[in-house]
Every structure is written in C-alpha cells, then in structure tokens.
Amino acid sequence: MRHRIAVIGGGPAGLTFARVLRRHDHPVTVLERDPAPDARPPGGTLDLHENLGQLALSKAGLLAEFQALSRPEGQAMRILDVDGTVLRDWEPRPDDRANPEIDRGQLRDLLLGPLDVQWGRGVTEVVPGTRDGVLVHFADGRQETFDLVVGADGAWSRVRPAVSPATPHYTGVTMVETSLDDVDIRHPDLARLIGDGAMAVYGVNRGLVAQRNSGGHIKVYAQFRAPLDWHTNLDRHMGLNRRAGMDAGLDLADVEAVRSSLLALFDGWAAPILDLLRHGTAFVHRPLYVLPVSHTWAHVPGVTLLGDAAHLMPPLGVGANLAMLEGAELAESVAAAPGPGDLDEAVRAFEEQMWARAGRWAKITTAGLERLVSPDPAEALALFDEIQPS
Ligand SMILES: Cc1cc2nc3c(=O)[nH]c(=O)nc-3n(C[C@H](O)[C@H](O)[C@H](O)COP(=O)(O)OP(=O)(O)OC[C@H]3O[C@@H](n4cnc5c(N)ncnc54)[C@H](O)[C@@H]3O)c2cc1C
C-alpha cells in the first residue's frame, strides 16, 4: 500500500528520510520553507560518524559518493593554550575513516540528488486526527492532507506542537560565528595554525574553535557563557570595561562593534589566536538552545518528529548524524509497513528506538558543553583525552 507521506523540512533528517524512502520505491512529498536550496549559507563542516551518519548514507546508497567527497584528514584536532602553546596535536591515521568531514552544502547536494523538493512551502501548523488524515497548513494559506507527517523542521519546529508542548530553552552558552576565505593564500600563518582539521582554545568560561572547510574556507566559533541578553549591556553582563569606541549596548549587526567586543572578551589570548577574530568577515550570533534531555511524547497517530525537532542538543558533533540515521531508519520501517495499522506500529517502534538513543546522546552532549565552556579550562582538555583515540 502506498501511504501518503510528507516530510516537513529539507535538512539532513528530512532529505535522508526522503532518499531512503525513494530507494524503496515509496513516494514522499518533501516540503521545505526555504525558497531555494542555496537561499541561505549552508553552514560549516560536519563530521559523519561510521555508525551514525555514514550508516544512514549507506542505507541511502550514497556511501561511495560521500567517501569521494569527504575529507578524512579533516578529523585532525589541535588544542592550544590561551598563550598559543600546543597542548594536543592529534592526526588521523591515513586509513582512518571513522569521522571524515564534509561541507554541509556538499552533503545537502548529495542528499538532494534526484529528489523533487517543494521549495518555499513553509508549514505553519499540523492538525492530526481529521476525517481524511493529518491536515497541514501552509504559510500561503493552502492546506493538504497526508497519512503520515514527519516533522524534520529543526529547532523551532512547527510540527512539534502537534505531539508535544516542549520548547527549546537557552543553555547559558552563546556562539558567535565568523569565517575566513582563501586562508592558505591570504592568511598562511593561520592556515598552519589550524592545520587540516580543527583547532580549539579553551579559557575560563569561553573558547574559540576554528574548523577548516573545503576550498580554504575556515569557520570560527567564539563561545562563551553569558546571559541571553549579554549584548544589551557589555559592562553589566560581560564585565567588559568600556573602551574607546565601545558602547554599553552592542548592535549585533555592526561587524566592527562585534569584532571589538569579542577582542575585548578574549583579551590577553595569544595574538595569532585573536587574528581569527581580527580577520573574520561577518559575525553571526548563535545562542545555543536545547530541548529537555530525554524529550519524549505520547504517541500521536499520523505525526512524528526527527532530528533537532525531536531532540535539539548542544552542537558537539552528533546532531546531524542522529538526524540522518533516524531519517534512514524511519524510512525503512515505513516502507516495510503494508497497511495503515502497520504504519502506526512502525512509527511507534521507531520512536521508542529514537528516544532511547537520542536520550543517551543528549546526556553526553549536555555534560560535554558544561565541561568545554567551563570555569576550569582543564576540563575541556580532560574531555578531549577521554574521547580521542590515542
Ligand atoms: C554551530 C553548529 C555546529 C554543528 N556541528 C555539527 C557537527 O559537526 N556534526 C553534527 O552531527 N551536528 C552538528 N551540528 C548540529 C546539526 O547542525 C543539527 O543537529 C542538524 O542540522 C539537524 O538536522 P535537522 O534536519 O533535524 O534540522 P535542520 O538542519 O535545522 O533542518 C531543518 C530544515 O527544516 C526547514 N524548516 C524549518 N521550519 C520549517 C517550516 N515551518 N516549514 C518547512 N520547512 C521548515 C529549514 O529551512 C531546514 O531546511 C551543529 C550545529 C551547530 C549550530
């Protein structure tokens, strides 16, 4: 039987779900709010784990293509002290394929392949239990009905309210993201400092992480503990003495003002590390939000969630991996369900499995964030030593 299935959101979760369903010759409607695939910058690099994201790609028949695109050397990780001393310098073995990196844009294009995504179709509400199935309302006022609606629409999901009242809360940690282009040519010293993979520096309640993407592009994440409204009063909230040209309140759209505030926040760190901020282009403000650890809900026939919509957690290298594996697993279960009752049973069983795995990772990443951006920088180093293969 061909169930009418819609997935809301064309991120890693939604696209993997759709690709695996299509591989099983099952039709699926992919509804994405963005007007086009390249409507927004795709974001930084992702490492896909052998037993998570790569397993999902293998279920989609895309592992060989991923291997051709990905950067195993990008697994390299260097940790520096705030004075620039190299504390750890880990490089993968030449045959190590445990967590190769791939640019998000490359991953999106790989997953998109022949999929027929409906772009510019923002969903506003999902109403289960109507006479004809699950009703989906769109921002343009249209409506459609499906047998199963899969919410893969990320942190601020519009599908989630149909199954759960949970909403994301602020972790107390904010990231400000910036980037550098053509680093090997324009900033060779920084290129050497970062190496082939990522470089991280941890201080008291703050850190700076730089990650190499393909094509000499570097993403830099300044992370710090701060109230959500830290930028409204730098003196009061951040203990930053007002310097020449620095106002008490920071306009986050003012690139130079954000740069000087970050340089003041990381004052005293070695000059080459601060060059990452000095040469960064635009700055993007990303307060980190999470859903409650072990978020579950009472099963609602005809609606389920995947990825960040189900279990938004701190970005410690696993969110996209889980999202993709869940997409692949749900697609396999749904494709194998012959009748309407089987479909519901398949979704129920999938949810139990997703909740158990995501709950474990939410605990790990929540504890990890506490240790990475912590009053004691030695905690970050200890965490690295615990997880990094020797
Ligand atoms: C700075 C940072 C670094 C990270 N690094 C890593 C990493 O290295 N490894 C890793 O595994 N994870 C990483 N993550 C986490 C990862 O980005 C997410 O977990 C992952 O993107 C979740 O995928 P998703 O498909 O569930 O949601 P998303 O990627 O958020 O995709 C949701 C999609 O739904 C669409 N959408 C939203 N609302 C609607 C609507 N109402 N109607 C229709 N469409 C809608 C959006 O436009 C989007 O395309 C990182 C996160 C951050 C913030």
Side-chain angles (χ1 to χ4, degrees), residues 229-269:
D229 61 350
W230 66 277
H231 46 92
T232 59
N233 192 321
L234 296 174
D235 281 346
R236 179 149 44 91
H237 294 320
M238 307 301 290
L240 293 181
N241 293 324
R242 253 195 271 169
R243 283 145 201 261
M246 260 177 67
D247 294 331
L250 172 65
D251 175 1
L252 291 169
D254 181 339
V255 174
E256 291 314 318
V258 175
R259 191 191 314 281
S260 356
S261 304
L262 290 177
L263 287 170
L265 187 60
F266 289 87
D267 190 29
W269 289 30

mmCIF file of all heavy atoms in Angstrom, residues 229-269:
data_model
loop_
_atom_site.group_PDB
_atom_site.id
_atom_site.type_symbol
_atom_site.label_atom_id
_atom_site.label_comp_id
_atom_site.label_asym_id
_atom_site.label_seq_id
_atom_site.Cartn_x
_atom_site.Cartn_y
_atom_site.Cartn_z
ATOM 1 N N ASP A 229 20.736 38.070 26.981
ATOM 2 C CA ASP A 229 20.759 39.466 26.525
ATOM 3 C C ASP A 229 22.118 40.125 26.788
ATOM 4 O O ASP A 229 22.203 41.327 27.016
ATOM 5 C CB ASP A 229 19.641 40.260 27.199
ATOM 6 C CG ASP A 229 19.798 40.285 28.721
ATOM 7 O OD1 ASP A 229 20.658 39.540 29.248
ATOM 8 O OD2 ASP A 229 19.079 41.050 29.383
ATOM 9 N N TRP A 230 23.204 39.342 26.739
ATOM 10 C CA TRP A 230 24.547 39.843 27.052
ATOM 11 C C TRP A 230 24.904 41.098 26.264
ATOM 12 O O TRP A 230 25.585 41.976 26.760
ATOM 13 C CB TRP A 230 25.601 38.753 26.770
ATOM 14 C CG TRP A 230 25.725 38.385 25.319
ATOM 15 C CD1 TRP A 230 24.941 37.510 24.639
ATOM 16 C CD2 TRP A 230 26.665 38.908 24.366
ATOM 17 N NE1 TRP A 230 25.328 37.433 23.323
ATOM 18 C CE2 TRP A 230 26.394 38.278 23.125
ATOM 19 C CE3 TRP A 230 27.716 39.817 24.423
ATOM 20 C CZ2 TRP A 230 27.113 38.544 21.974
ATOM 21 C CZ3 TRP A 230 28.438 40.074 23.270
ATOM 22 C CH2 TRP A 230 28.145 39.449 22.058
ATOM 23 N N HIS A 231 24.406 41.177 25.030
ATOM 24 C CA HIS A 231 24.812 42.269 24.139
ATOM 25 C C HIS A 231 24.120 43.580 24.476
ATOM 26 O O HIS A 231 24.498 44.628 23.950
ATOM 27 C CB HIS A 231 24.522 41.884 22.686
ATOM 28 C CG HIS A 231 23.168 41.294 22.491
ATOM 29 N ND1 HIS A 231 22.091 42.049 22.176
ATOM 30 C CD2 HIS A 231 22.716 40.019 22.635
ATOM 31 C CE1 HIS A 231 21.031 41.274 22.105
ATOM 32 N NE2 HIS A 231 21.377 40.030 22.378
ATOM 33 N N THR A 232 23.128 43.529 25.375
ATOM 34 C CA THR A 232 22.410 44.769 25.672
ATOM 35 C C THR A 232 23.193 45.654 26.649
ATOM 36 O O THR A 232 22.964 46.854 26.711
ATOM 37 C CB THR A 232 21.014 44.491 26.264
ATOM 38 O OG1 THR A 232 21.194 43.724 27.463
ATOM 39 C CG2 THR A 232 20.137 43.720 25.289
ATOM 40 N N ASN A 233 24.069 45.022 27.470
ATOM 41 C CA ASN A 233 24.897 45.823 28.364
ATOM 42 C C ASN A 233 26.202 45.083 28.632
ATOM 43 O O ASN A 233 26.262 44.198 29.486
ATOM 44 C CB ASN A 233 24.154 46.115 29.665
ATOM 45 C CG ASN A 233 24.880 47.174 30.478
ATOM 46 O OD1 ASN A 233 26.110 47.184 30.547
ATOM 47 N ND2 ASN A 233 24.132 48.076 31.078
ATOM 48 N N LEU A 234 27.233 45.437 27.878
ATOM 49 C CA LEU A 234 28.505 44.699 27.955
ATOM 50 C C LEU A 234 29.182 44.886 29.307
ATOM 51 O O LEU A 234 29.850 43.983 29.800
ATOM 52 C CB LEU A 234 29.442 45.175 26.840
ATOM 53 C CG LEU A 234 28.950 44.893 25.421
ATOM 54 C CD1 LEU A 234 29.873 45.533 24.398
ATOM 55 C CD2 LEU A 234 28.853 43.406 25.154
ATOM 56 N N ASP A 235 29.004 46.046 29.915
ATOM 57 C CA ASP A 235 29.612 46.278 31.232
ATOM 58 C C ASP A 235 28.984 45.372 32.273
ATOM 59 O O ASP A 235 29.652 44.639 32.987
ATOM 60 C CB ASP A 235 29.379 47.730 31.672
ATOM 61 C CG ASP A 235 30.350 48.665 30.976
ATOM 62 O OD1 ASP A 235 31.320 48.152 30.395
ATOM 63 O OD2 ASP A 235 30.118 49.877 31.009
ATOM 64 N N ARG A 236 27.659 45.428 32.314
ATOM 65 C CA ARG A 236 26.947 44.716 33.389
ATOM 66 C C ARG A 236 26.997 43.206 33.171
ATOM 67 O O ARG A 236 27.311 42.454 34.092
ATOM 68 C CB ARG A 236 25.495 45.208 33.441
ATOM 69 C CG ARG A 236 24.643 44.512 34.501
ATOM 70 C CD ARG A 236 23.562 45.418 35.058
ATOM 71 N NE ARG A 236 22.873 46.187 34.039
ATOM 72 C CZ ARG A 236 21.764 45.788 33.413
ATOM 73 N NH1 ARG A 236 21.248 44.609 33.691
ATOM 74 N NH2 ARG A 236 21.179 46.564 32.531
ATOM 75 N N HIS A 237 26.723 42.755 31.940
ATOM 76 C CA HIS A 237 26.579 41.316 31.715
ATOM 77 C C HIS A 237 27.911 40.607 31.472
ATOM 78 O O HIS A 237 28.061 39.434 31.750
ATOM 79 C CB HIS A 237 25.671 41.054 30.513
ATOM 80 C CG HIS A 237 24.254 41.483 30.751
ATOM 81 N ND1 HIS A 237 23.620 41.294 31.949
ATOM 82 C CD2 HIS A 237 23.348 42.066 29.941
ATOM 83 C CE1 HIS A 237 22.383 41.766 31.870
ATOM 84 N NE2 HIS A 237 22.207 42.244 30.667
ATOM 85 N N MET A 238 28.885 41.315 30.894
ATOM 86 C CA MET A 238 30.096 40.627 30.475
ATOM 87 C C MET A 238 31.328 41.087 31.242
ATOM 88 O O MET A 238 32.425 40.566 31.028
ATOM 89 C CB MET A 238 30.341 40.848 28.967
ATOM 90 C CG MET A 238 29.165 40.497 28.083
ATOM 91 S SD MET A 238 28.679 38.773 28.268
ATOM 92 C CE MET A 238 30.052 37.956 27.494
ATOM 93 N N GLY A 239 31.152 42.090 32.100
ATOM 94 C CA GLY A 239 32.306 42.600 32.834
ATOM 95 C C GLY A 239 33.352 43.197 31.909
ATOM 96 O O GLY A 239 34.543 43.170 32.210
ATOM 97 N N LEU A 240 32.923 43.698 30.764
ATOM 98 C CA LEU A 240 33.881 44.301 29.836
ATOM 99 C C LEU A 240 33.967 45.786 30.130
ATOM 100 O O LEU A 240 32.967 46.490 30.040
ATOM 101 C CB LEU A 240 33.423 44.105 28.389
ATOM 102 C CG LEU A 240 33.413 42.680 27.855
ATOM 103 C CD1 LEU A 240 32.960 42.671 26.412
ATOM 104 C CD2 LEU A 240 34.787 42.058 27.979
ATOM 105 N N ASN A 241 35.152 46.234 30.479
ATOM 106 C CA ASN A 241 35.312 47.667 30.689
ATOM 107 C C ASN A 241 35.079 48.363 29.365
ATOM 108 O O ASN A 241 35.581 47.924 28.342
ATOM 109 C CB ASN A 241 36.735 47.986 31.160
ATOM 110 C CG ASN A 241 36.956 47.406 32.530
ATOM 111 O OD1 ASN A 241 36.038 47.388 33.338
ATOM 112 N ND2 ASN A 241 38.145 46.902 32.759
ATOM 113 N N ARG A 242 34.344 49.421 29.427
ATOM 114 C CA ARG A 242 34.089 50.137 28.175
ATOM 115 C C ARG A 242 35.375 50.772 27.674
ATOM 116 O O ARG A 242 36.033 51.496 28.385
ATOM 117 C CB ARG A 242 33.026 51.201 28.406
ATOM 118 C CG ARG A 242 31.736 50.748 27.754
ATOM 119 C CD ARG A 242 30.789 51.883 27.632
ATOM 120 N NE ARG A 242 29.981 51.972 28.832
ATOM 121 C CZ ARG A 242 29.212 52.999 29.087
ATOM 122 N NH1 ARG A 242 29.163 54.009 28.276
ATOM 123 N NH2 ARG A 242 28.480 53.017 30.180
ATOM 124 N N ARG A 243 35.738 50.428 26.472
ATOM 125 C CA ARG A 243 36.943 51.023 25.884
ATOM 126 C C ARG A 243 36.539 52.077 24.875
ATOM 127 O O ARG A 243 35.378 52.189 24.540
ATOM 128 C CB ARG A 243 37.713 49.934 25.129
ATOM 129 C CG ARG A 243 38.450 49.054 26.062
ATOM 130 C CD ARG A 243 38.465 47.633 25.524
ATOM 131 N NE ARG A 243 38.736 46.764 26.661
ATOM 132 C CZ ARG A 243 39.932 46.279 26.921
ATOM 133 N NH1 ARG A 243 40.928 46.507 26.129
ATOM 134 N NH2 ARG A 243 40.122 45.534 27.993
ATOM 135 N N ALA A 244 37.539 52.753 24.385
ATOM 136 C CA ALA A 244 37.255 53.783 23.381
ATOM 137 C C ALA A 244 36.426 53.175 22.261
ATOM 138 O O ALA A 244 36.768 52.123 21.727
ATOM 139 C CB ALA A 244 38.563 54.297 22.822
ATOM 140 N N GLY A 245 35.342 53.800 21.951
ATOM 141 C CA GLY A 245 34.530 53.339 20.817
ATOM 142 C C GLY A 245 33.581 52.211 21.157
ATOM 143 O O GLY A 245 32.829 51.764 20.304
ATOM 144 N N MET A 246 33.616 51.678 22.393
ATOM 145 C CA MET A 246 32.690 50.579 22.724
ATOM 146 C C MET A 246 31.523 51.122 23.533
ATOM 147 O O MET A 246 31.705 51.642 24.632
ATOM 148 C CB MET A 246 33.406 49.513 23.546
ATOM 149 C CG MET A 246 33.824 48.325 22.726
ATOM 150 S SD MET A 246 34.727 47.160 23.725
ATOM 151 C CE MET A 246 33.450 46.601 24.830
ATOM 152 N N ASP A 247 30.327 50.973 23.014
ATOM 153 C CA ASP A 247 29.147 51.412 23.756
ATOM 154 C C ASP A 247 28.758 50.335 24.752
ATOM 155 O O ASP A 247 29.202 49.195 24.662
ATOM 156 C CB ASP A 247 27.971 51.628 22.788
ATOM 157 C CG ASP A 247 28.253 52.786 21.862
ATOM 158 O OD1 ASP A 247 28.990 53.688 22.283
ATOM 159 O OD2 ASP A 247 27.749 52.760 20.729
ATOM 160 N N ALA A 248 27.896 50.698 25.695
ATOM 161 C CA ALA A 248 27.435 49.698 26.665
ATOM 162 C C ALA A 248 26.626 48.627 25.960
ATOM 163 O O ALA A 248 26.782 47.437 26.198
ATOM 164 C CB ALA A 248 26.594 50.373 27.726
ATOM 165 N N GLY A 249 25.760 49.031 25.042
ATOM 166 C CA GLY A 249 24.941 48.086 24.290
ATOM 167 C C GLY A 249 25.584 47.826 22.938
ATOM 168 O O GLY A 249 26.124 48.730 22.319
ATOM 169 N N LEU A 250 25.517 46.560 22.502
ATOM 170 C CA LEU A 250 26.193 46.175 21.256
ATOM 171 C C LEU A 250 25.160 45.936 20.170
ATOM 172 O O LEU A 250 24.222 45.165 20.377
ATOM 173 C CB LEU A 250 26.990 44.892 21.523
ATOM 174 C CG LEU A 250 27.622 44.202 20.318
ATOM 175 C CD1 LEU A 250 28.689 45.078 19.686
ATOM 176 C CD2 LEU A 250 28.238 42.876 20.767
ATOM 177 N N ASP A 251 25.351 46.573 19.015
ATOM 178 C CA ASP A 251 24.482 46.308 17.863
ATOM 179 C C ASP A 251 25.060 45.092 17.140
ATOM 180 O O ASP A 251 26.137 45.161 16.541
ATOM 181 C CB ASP A 251 24.487 47.558 16.963
ATOM 182 C CG ASP A 251 23.708 47.323 15.674
ATOM 183 O OD1 ASP A 251 23.155 46.219 15.505
ATOM 184 O OD2 ASP A 251 23.675 48.254 14.849
ATOM 185 N N LEU A 252 24.336 43.974 17.200
ATOM 186 C CA LEU A 252 24.870 42.718 16.648
ATOM 187 C C LEU A 252 25.040 42.778 15.138
ATOM 188 O O LEU A 252 25.735 41.942 14.559
ATOM 189 C CB LEU A 252 23.958 41.545 17.035
ATOM 190 C CG LEU A 252 23.976 41.181 18.518
ATOM 191 C CD1 LEU A 252 22.855 40.210 18.845
ATOM 192 C CD2 LEU A 252 25.323 40.603 18.919
ATOM 193 N N ALA A 253 24.412 43.754 14.490
ATOM 194 C CA ALA A 253 24.558 43.875 13.032
ATOM 195 C C ALA A 253 25.790 44.712 12.665
ATOM 196 O O ALA A 253 26.162 44.795 11.497
ATOM 197 C CB ALA A 253 23.307 44.517 12.441
ATOM 198 N N ASP A 254 26.430 45.325 13.674
ATOM 199 C CA ASP A 254 27.588 46.184 13.420
ATOM 200 C C ASP A 254 28.858 45.319 13.514
ATOM 201 O O ASP A 254 29.350 45.016 14.603
ATOM 202 C CB ASP A 254 27.590 47.322 14.459
ATOM 203 C CG ASP A 254 28.739 48.277 14.260
ATOM 204 O OD1 ASP A 254 29.746 47.917 13.625
ATOM 205 O OD2 ASP A 254 28.625 49.416 14.767
ATOM 206 N N VAL A 255 29.395 44.943 12.349
ATOM 207 C CA VAL A 255 30.503 43.978 12.296
ATOM 208 C C VAL A 255 31.692 44.456 13.132
ATOM 209 O O VAL A 255 32.260 43.685 13.921
ATOM 210 C CB VAL A 255 30.941 43.752 10.823
ATOM 211 C CG1 VAL A 255 32.182 42.873 10.744
ATOM 212 C CG2 VAL A 255 29.812 43.137 10.031
ATOM 213 N N GLU A 256 32.066 45.725 12.985
ATOM 214 C CA GLU A 256 33.262 46.193 13.702
ATOM 215 C C GLU A 256 33.022 46.271 15.201
ATOM 216 O O GLU A 256 33.931 46.013 15.997
ATOM 217 C CB GLU A 256 33.736 47.536 13.137
ATOM 218 C CG GLU A 256 34.294 47.418 11.717
ATOM 219 C CD GLU A 256 35.264 46.230 11.532
ATOM 220 O OE1 GLU A 256 36.100 45.992 12.409
ATOM 221 O OE2 GLU A 256 35.147 45.517 10.517
ATOM 222 N N ALA A 257 31.797 46.619 15.602
ATOM 223 C CA ALA A 257 31.497 46.674 17.047
ATOM 224 C C ALA A 257 31.525 45.262 17.639
ATOM 225 O O ALA A 257 32.042 45.059 18.746
ATOM 226 C CB ALA A 257 30.138 47.329 17.265
ATOM 227 N N VAL A 258 31.011 44.291 16.909
ATOM 228 C CA VAL A 258 31.036 42.905 17.420
ATOM 229 C C VAL A 258 32.487 42.440 17.504
ATOM 230 O O VAL A 258 32.913 41.836 18.499
ATOM 231 C CB VAL A 258 30.218 41.951 16.514
ATOM 232 C CG1 VAL A 258 30.343 40.510 16.989
ATOM 233 C CG2 VAL A 258 28.753 42.357 16.486
ATOM 234 N N ARG A 259 33.271 42.766 16.480
ATOM 235 C CA ARG A 259 34.680 42.357 16.491
ATOM 236 C C ARG A 259 35.395 42.937 17.727
ATOM 237 O O ARG A 259 36.081 42.231 18.450
ATOM 238 C CB ARG A 259 35.359 42.862 15.222
ATOM 239 C CG ARG A 259 36.750 42.254 15.003
ATOM 240 C CD ARG A 259 37.544 42.948 13.904
ATOM 241 N NE ARG A 259 36.820 43.208 12.689
ATOM 242 C CZ ARG A 259 36.552 42.305 11.735
ATOM 243 N NH1 ARG A 259 36.981 41.079 11.884
ATOM 244 N NH2 ARG A 259 35.871 42.623 10.649
ATOM 245 N N SER A 260 35.212 44.272 17.989
ATOM 246 C CA SER A 260 35.928 44.829 19.149
ATOM 247 C C SER A 260 35.431 44.233 20.447
ATOM 248 O O SER A 260 36.221 44.013 21.372
ATOM 249 C CB SER A 260 35.840 46.357 19.283
ATOM 250 O OG SER A 260 35.193 46.932 18.262
ATOM 251 N N SER A 261 34.144 43.932 20.541
ATOM 252 C CA SER A 261 33.645 43.324 21.792
ATOM 253 C C SER A 261 34.251 41.942 21.989
ATOM 254 O O SER A 261 34.636 41.584 23.106
ATOM 255 C CB SER A 261 32.129 43.187 21.756
ATOM 256 O OG SER A 261 31.563 44.414 21.509
ATOM 257 N N LEU A 262 34.342 41.171 20.903
ATOM 258 C CA LEU A 262 34.920 39.826 21.046
ATOM 259 C C LEU A 262 36.409 39.930 21.395
ATOM 260 O O LEU A 262 36.911 39.168 22.227
ATOM 261 C CB LEU A 262 34.732 39.014 19.762
ATOM 262 C CG LEU A 262 33.297 38.584 19.458
ATOM 263 C CD1 LEU A 262 33.229 37.850 18.122
ATOM 264 C CD2 LEU A 262 32.729 37.689 20.553
ATOM 265 N N LEU A 263 37.101 40.868 20.767
ATOM 266 C CA LEU A 263 38.528 41.020 21.078
ATOM 267 C C LEU A 263 38.703 41.416 22.541
ATOM 268 O O LEU A 263 39.636 40.957 23.211
ATOM 269 C CB LEU A 263 39.176 42.047 20.140
ATOM 270 C CG LEU A 263 39.377 41.543 18.701
ATOM 271 C CD1 LEU A 263 39.781 42.680 17.774
ATOM 272 C CD2 LEU A 263 40.419 40.420 18.654
ATOM 273 N N ALA A 264 37.791 42.223 23.059
ATOM 274 C CA ALA A 264 37.864 42.594 24.479
ATOM 275 C C ALA A 264 37.546 41.380 25.352
ATOM 276 O O ALA A 264 38.181 41.145 26.386
ATOM 277 C CB ALA A 264 36.892 43.726 24.764
ATOM 278 N N LEU A 265 36.597 40.577 24.914
ATOM 279 C CA LEU A 265 36.200 39.391 25.695
ATOM 280 C C LEU A 265 37.341 38.363 25.769
ATOM 281 O O LEU A 265 37.489 37.658 26.758
ATOM 282 C CB LEU A 265 34.956 38.781 25.043
ATOM 283 C CG LEU A 265 34.256 37.648 25.759
ATOM 284 C CD1 LEU A 265 33.767 38.102 27.130
ATOM 285 C CD2 LEU A 265 33.062 37.164 24.941
ATOM 286 N N PHE A 266 38.114 38.267 24.683
ATOM 287 C CA PHE A 266 39.210 37.293 24.644
ATOM 288 C C PHE A 266 40.560 37.987 24.876
ATOM 289 O O PHE A 266 41.606 37.447 24.511
ATOM 290 C CB PHE A 266 39.191 36.540 23.297
ATOM 291 C CG PHE A 266 38.034 35.583 23.192
ATOM 292 C CD1 PHE A 266 36.798 36.009 22.722
ATOM 293 C CD2 PHE A 266 38.161 34.264 23.598
ATOM 294 C CE1 PHE A 266 35.712 35.138 22.651
ATOM 295 C CE2 PHE A 266 37.083 33.385 23.538
ATOM 296 C CZ PHE A 266 35.853 33.821 23.066
ATOM 297 N N ASP A 267 40.525 39.153 25.494
ATOM 298 C CA ASP A 267 41.734 39.946 25.726
ATOM 299 C C ASP A 267 42.771 39.116 26.480
ATOM 300 O O ASP A 267 42.439 38.375 27.399
ATOM 301 C CB ASP A 267 41.346 41.189 26.558
ATOM 302 C CG ASP A 267 42.499 42.166 26.630
ATOM 303 O OD1 ASP A 267 43.301 42.198 25.679
ATOM 304 O OD2 ASP A 267 42.606 42.877 27.644
ATOM 305 N N GLY A 268 44.031 39.234 26.064
ATOM 306 C CA GLY A 268 45.106 38.511 26.749
ATOM 307 C C GLY A 268 45.459 37.199 26.055
ATOM 308 O O GLY A 268 46.486 36.597 26.357
ATOM 309 N N TRP A 269 44.616 36.718 25.145
ATOM 310 C CA TRP A 269 44.928 35.493 24.426
ATOM 311 C C TRP A 269 45.995 35.798 23.369
ATOM 312 O O TRP A 269 46.135 36.936 22.922
ATOM 313 C CB TRP A 269 43.670 34.913 23.751
ATOM 314 C CG TRP A 269 42.695 34.331 24.754
ATOM 315 C CD1 TRP A 269 42.506 34.740 26.045
ATOM 316 C CD2 TRP A 269 41.801 33.244 24.539
ATOM 317 N NE1 TRP A 269 41.535 33.972 26.650
ATOM 318 C CE2 TRP A 269 41.080 33.042 25.743
ATOM 319 C CE3 TRP A 269 41.504 32.419 23.464
ATOM 320 C CZ2 TRP A 269 40.110 32.057 25.884
ATOM 321 C CZ3 TRP A 269 40.543 31.434 23.594
ATOM 322 C CH2 TRP A 269 39.856 31.246 24.791
#
